[in-house]
Amino acid sequence: MKKPSRREASPAPGLPSARQAALAVPGAQTGSRDGYIEHEGLFCKIVWGVLSPLLANVYLHYVLDVWFEREVKPRLKGRAFLVRYADDFVMGFACEEDARRVLAVLPKRLGKYGLTIHPDKTRLVPFGRPDRPAAPGSAPGSFDFLGFTHFWSRSLKGNWVVKRKTADSRFHRAVKKIAEWCRLNRHRPIPEQARTLAQKLRGHYQYYGVIGNLGSLQRFQYVVVHLWRKWLSRRNRRGYLSWTKYLGLLRVFVLPWPTSPSAASP
């Protein structure tokens, strides 16, 4: 999402301008090479810094949240809701006509305050219950939000429920990071590698360990186990590690398996 600039933002009554929503940092360097701070007199724009999501959250509360509750919902024919985290959000509508109307006006609303929506991630997705299709022969779609793919599926009792699994893009990104870490740290002591990999796995499980996502977690652990063996075998020219020796190593340096009750399938 494009950051609000000093010239583009046009404040409305009760809405802080880009200058007011930003944070003044005395002594900030002009045009920081790391891309964290850009200082323009009294105006300071945080880029990629730890405060950037916080400032976006404050600004979008007025630009999007308040507008949706006060201006949009009273004009709709059916029920609607908005779920937002920082600059990522999902809108749900009971009526397709309402969804199309809001989708048409949303770019204008954000553009008024110097913001734009992502052209590839912004789309209209049918997401009604499969047993109540909006049109004959139509099927509900799926969407990604905060690293999860949301989709309809049946529970163990046969009821239709919305499930979540690790989004493919996030899964492949996490695997790529693990592979790169194993490559760069393959010459470190094995106990140290095992301890760090275990921490990375636990962190992955803690975020993605939601009901119905056990399969994705098990798949991730399986890939990590194979990646570690691959790079341990490349520590030196004679460093090939057979599966027999590797399994013996894993009995000593255990890579945690996702067994948290929160990750169990319904």
Side-chain angles (χ1 to χ4, degrees):
M1 177 174 288
K2 187 178 179 181
K3 303 296 180 181
S5 67
R6 191 176 184 182
R7 295 180 179 178
E8 293 172 334
S10 57
L15 175 66
S17 64
R19 177 195 292 256
Q20 294 170 332
L23 176 67
V25 182
Q29 295 180 355
T30 302
S32 173
R33 184 175 181 180
D34 293 333
Y36 286 99
I37 297 177
E38 295 179 5
H39 187 250
E40 303 173 2
L42 296 178
F43 177 75
C44 181
K45 181 170 59 178
I46 308 297
V47 183
W48 302 337
V50 294
L51 286 179
S52 185
L54 176 61
L55 299 180
N57 190 53
V58 172
Y59 199 68
L60 284 174
H61 172 72
Y62 295 95
V63 173
L64 192 61
D65 302 352
V66 175
W67 170 74
F68 188 80
E69 290 294 328
R70 297 180 181 178
E71 304 294 334
V72 175
K73 291 179 71 173
R75 294 176 170 83
L76 301 179
K77 296 181 179 179
R79 295 179 300 166
F81 65 86
L82 167 66
V83 178
R84 183 179 63 81
Y85 181 84
D87 60 351
D88 292 329
F89 61 90
V90 171
M91 293 180 176
F93 302 87
C95 179
E96 181 179 349
E97 181 182 350
D98 290 339
R100 294 190 180 279
R101 289 171 55 199
V102 175
L103 181 60
V105 75
L106 185 60
K108 300 177 183 178
R109 171 64 183 181
L110 297 179
K112 182 179 179 181
Y113 301 101
L115 305 174
T116 58
I117 58 177
H118 197 291
D120 298 328
K121 296 181 179 180
T122 305
R123 58 194 178 100
L124 189 63
V125 179
F127 203 69
R129 287 175 61 96
D131 55 348
R132 304 172 188 173
S138 64
S142 62
F143 64 92
D144 293 349
F145 184 55
L146 300 181
F148 292 93
T149 296
H150 298 69
F151 62 100
W152 283 99
S153 183
R154 289 190 181 274
S155 66
L156 294 178
K157 295 183 180 180
N159 301 319
W160 284 107
V161 295
V162 177
K163 291 186 178 181
R164 292 173 292 172
K165 66 178 182 179
T166 308
D168 290 341
S169 60
R170 294 297 184 91
F171 183 90
H172 294 309
R173 186 173 70 179
V175 168
K176 184 177 180 180
K177 288 183 177 180
I178 291 291
E180 183 67 7
W181 186 91
C182 289
R183 183 183 71 84
L184 296 175
N185 296 273
R186 64 186 183 275
H187 297 298
R188 291 183 177 274
I190 290 181
E192 180 181 336
Q193 292 187 48
R195 183 168 55 253
T196 302
L197 285 175
Q199 293 174 348
K200 292 179 180 296
L201 282 170
R202 292 191 186 97
H204 186 88
Y205 300 158
Q206 288 175 0
Y207 184 82
Y208 292 103
V210 299
I211 295 176
N213 196 33
L214 181 59
S216 296
L217 301 184
Q218 292 175 339
R219 179 186 168 204
F220 184 73
Q221 198 267 2
Y222 175 86
V223 173
V224 171
V225 167
H226 282 69
L227 284 173
W228 194 28
R229 175 180 175 269
K230 170 185 175 180
W231 289 107
L232 286 179
S233 297
R234 300 186 180 185
R235 285 161 67 92
N236 52 63
R237 292 182 178 181
R238 298 181 180 180
Y240 175 76
L241 188 62
S242 67
W243 272 106
T244 301
K245 292 183 179 180
Y246 184 56
L247 292 177
L249 184 148
L250 288 178
R251 283 192 286 269
V252 179
F253 304 104
V254 180
L255 295 182
W257 188 257
T259 57
S260 172
S262 62
S265 301

